[in-house]
Amino acid sequence: MLPSCTIHGVKITPLKKFTDSRGWLSEIFRQDELPGNILPKMAYISQTEPGITRGPHEHRWQTDIFAFIGPGTFSLHLWDAREDSVTFGEKFIGKFGENAPASVVIPPGVVHAYRCVSQTPGWVLNFPDALYAGWGKQETVDEIRHENRADSPYILDEEI
């Protein structure tokens, strides 16, 4: 059972693996199941080594659609930094990956970070609704990076 998140606008969807003699298939997202008019503009995959953290950072305008599918396991940390949000200041920690595959929609203004907590590297796919650095990579990157700030309030100080 996947953890539920009460941060406004965050949507966690369990991913089902359809298995047969060839292997398995999993739908990461469907346009008819995405909230609002979120439409992915690109896709990428990253591998994160055991014990490594990515983030925390946030976006002003971009929504991320992460898919945690394995082979490793991640601890996902979210903080609602939107002052106009009904869940402003709320924090969420959930574990996703090999044994709990899920897609997670993270709206703009929600600070996010994840750490590979397994002994196996993990893969994360992302389907953001904005192009990294804009069309032709000619624009400013939509990221507010908190991981290098000594006074950052976004600390991954606990695990589940």
Side-chain angles (χ1 to χ4, degrees):
M1 177 122 184
L2 292 176
S4 61
C5 178
T6 58
I7 294 177
H8 181 71
V10 172
K11 180 180 179 186
I12 299 173
T13 305
L15 296 178
K16 298 175 186 167
K17 289 183 178 178
F18 300 96
T19 305
D20 65 20
S21 61
R22 300 168 292 174
W24 59 266
L25 173 143
S26 183
E27 292 180 346
I28 304 300
F29 71 87
R30 293 175 46 94
Q31 184 177 358
D32 61 345
E33 295 175 351
L34 290 175
N37 16 336
I38 297 171
L39 298 175
K41 298 282 195 270
M42 64 179 288
Y44 67 85
I45 185 170
S46 64
Q47 177 170 297
T48 303
E49 298 298 321
I52 298 299
T53 300
R54 294 188 187 259
H57 71 266
E58 64 183 290
H59 305 286
R60 288 182 180 93
W61 303 283
Q62 175 179 307
T63 297
D64 283 327
I65 305 169
F66 287 128
F68 298 94
I69 57 168
T73 301
F74 291 92
S75 175
L76 173 67
H77 299 247
L78 305 175
W79 298 264
D80 191 348
R82 302 166 295 176
E83 292 183 0
D84 62 343
S85 172
V86 296
T87 55
F88 173 68
E90 191 167 316
K91 182 177 180 181
F92 166 83
I93 304 172
K95 195 178 273 188
F96 304 100
E98 180 73 25
N99 295 321
S103 74
V104 182
V105 176
I106 303 172
V110 174
V111 178
H112 49 283
Y114 56 81
R115 176 180 292 146
C116 183
V117 295
S118 60
Q119 296 301 311
T120 304
W123 294 349
V124 177
L125 291 93
N126 190 11
F127 305 91
D129 70 345
L131 295 172
Y132 180 82
W135 193 263
K137 298 182 182 176
Q138 301 296 312
E139 299 173 21
T140 302
V141 175
D142 176 23
E143 276 185 341
I144 302 168
R145 303 195 73 78
H146 300 285
E147 60 264 47
N148 298 325
R149 289 180 42 203
D151 63 340
S152 176
Y154 308 109
I155 307 296
L156 283 72
D157 57 356
E158 54 190 283
E159 297 294 338
I160 55 167

